Amino acid sequence: MTQLEECTTPVDAVVSRMRALDAALPARDGVAVFNRVYLAVTEAVDHRIDTGAFTDTRAAATLGVRFAERYLAAVDPVTADGRPPACWRPLLQFRRHPGVRPLQFALSGINAHIGHDLALAVVDTCRTLDCEPAELEDEFDRVGDVLVTLEERIREDLMPGPDLLQIADPLTHLFGAWSLERARDASWSAARALWALRRLPDLAAEFTERLDAAVGFAGRMLLTPLPG
C-alpha cells in the first residue's frame, strides 16, 4: 500500500449519516446515546486523517469507513436491511427501556461495535486494499488510541457525579467489569483468525456467527435494568 495525499474513502459521508441520526432520534433513545459518543470519536478520526496524523491515510480512512458502515447498517432505519446482527439486537430491543441508564446504552453499543464490528471491518479493509492484517496494525492501533476517548467521553458525559455514584452502586461495578482495551485486543485476534479462515468459508461463517452471539450475550447483560 502507498500513502495518498488525500483520503479516497467517504469518511465525511459516514459522519453526515451519524449527524442525521443524532438529529432524528430522541435524546434519551439508547441508540442516540451511543451515536453521540461514537460521532465525536469518528469526527476526531476524520480530523486526524485530514491533518496527516496517520502514516497511511488511505488505510486509516478505509478502516474508519468500513467500521462505521457496519454500525450504520445495523441501526440506521433508512439503510438497515433485515435482521440486525445479534450483537446489536439488545440495544435495539431495550433502547427505550426506562430502567436502563444512559451509561448502559453507551457500553452496550461500544461492546457491539468493538467486540464484533471492528474485527469484521479489519477483514473488509484487507479485502478492499488487497493487504494482510499485519499491514493495517499501525492504523488499527492509532484508531484504537482514538477509541480510548470513548471511555473518557463516557466518564465526562454519562457517569454520575461522585456524590451520586457510590461504591455499592451496580453502575460502578458494571463500568468496571467491561474493558475497552481487552475488547480491542480480542477484536484484533478475531480479525486475524477470520483472515486466516478466509479460504474456509464454512468455518469463517461459523466463527463469525459465534463471535456475534457471544458479543450479543454480553451486550444483553450490560443492559440489565437497574434500580433508579
Side-chain angles (χ1 to χ4, degrees):
M1 291 184 296
T2 59
Q3 181 176 352
L4 300 183
E5 290 296 324
E6 296 181 354
C7 166
T8 60
T9 49
V11 181
D12 291 341
V14 294
V15 168
S16 295
R17 289 170 63 189
M18 287 184 215
R19 289 173 179 164
L21 271 180
D22 184 56
L25 295 174
R28 183 61 176 76
D29 181 280
V31 174
V33 172
F34 170 73
N35 189 75
R36 286 194 295 273
V37 177
Y38 186 41
L39 171 58
V41 172
T42 306
E43 288 173 334
V45 170
D46 192 18
H47 175 72
R48 294 191 184 192
I49 290 171
D50 290 342
T51 57
F54 290 94
T55 304
D56 188 331
T57 55
R58 185 186 181 204
T62 304
L63 178 58
V65 169
R66 296 291 178 266
F67 190 30
E69 284 176 339
R70 287 200 167 264
Y71 154 66
L72 290 166
V75 306
D76 189 336
V78 176
T79 59
D81 183 18
R83 188 169 173 81
C87 61
W88 285 106
R89 286 176 214 154
L91 180 59
L92 293 171
Q93 292 168 355
F94 283 78
R95 62 195 294 177
R96 297 181 180 90
H97 195 296
V100 179
R101 304 188 198 178
L103 173 63
Q104 293 175 265
F105 290 135
L107 287 180
S108 180
I110 295 167
N111 171 72
H113 201 38
I114 294 179
H116 173 266
D117 294 353
L118 184 55
L120 273 61
V122 169
V123 174
D124 292 343
T125 302
C126 287
R127 287 178 174 145
T128 298
L129 301 179
D130 191 22
C131 68
E132 297 288 323
E135 297 176 69
L136 294 178
E137 190 166 7
D138 286 347
E139 280 62 44
F140 180 93
D141 289 341
R142 289 174 186 268
V143 170
D145 291 341
V146 181
L147 291 174
V148 171
T149 63
L150 279 168
E151 286 187 313
E152 297 171 359
R153 191 171 182 88
I154 287 171
R155 288 184 182 277
E156 292 173 1
D157 295 352
L158 301 178
M159 289 288 283
D163 56 328
L164 298 177
L165 190 61
Q166 303 299 322
I167 190 67
D169 191 317
L171 202 61
T172 307
H173 296 281
L174 189 67
F175 191 80
W178 192 89
S179 167
L180 187 148
E181 183 177 359
R182 288 198 299 270
R184 190 180 72 177
D185 290 345
S187 188
W188 179 248
S189 296
R192 293 178 62 204
L194 279 170
W195 187 251
L197 292 171
R198 67 191 183 280
R199 295 187 180 89
L200 300 170
D202 290 345
L203 283 178
E206 181 179 347
F207 184 96
T208 301
E209 182 178 356
R210 292 182 183 275
L211 175 67
D212 188 21
V215 173
F217 179 77
R220 174 62 185 87
M221 296 302 100
L222 290 170
L223 292 174
T224 301
L226 301 175

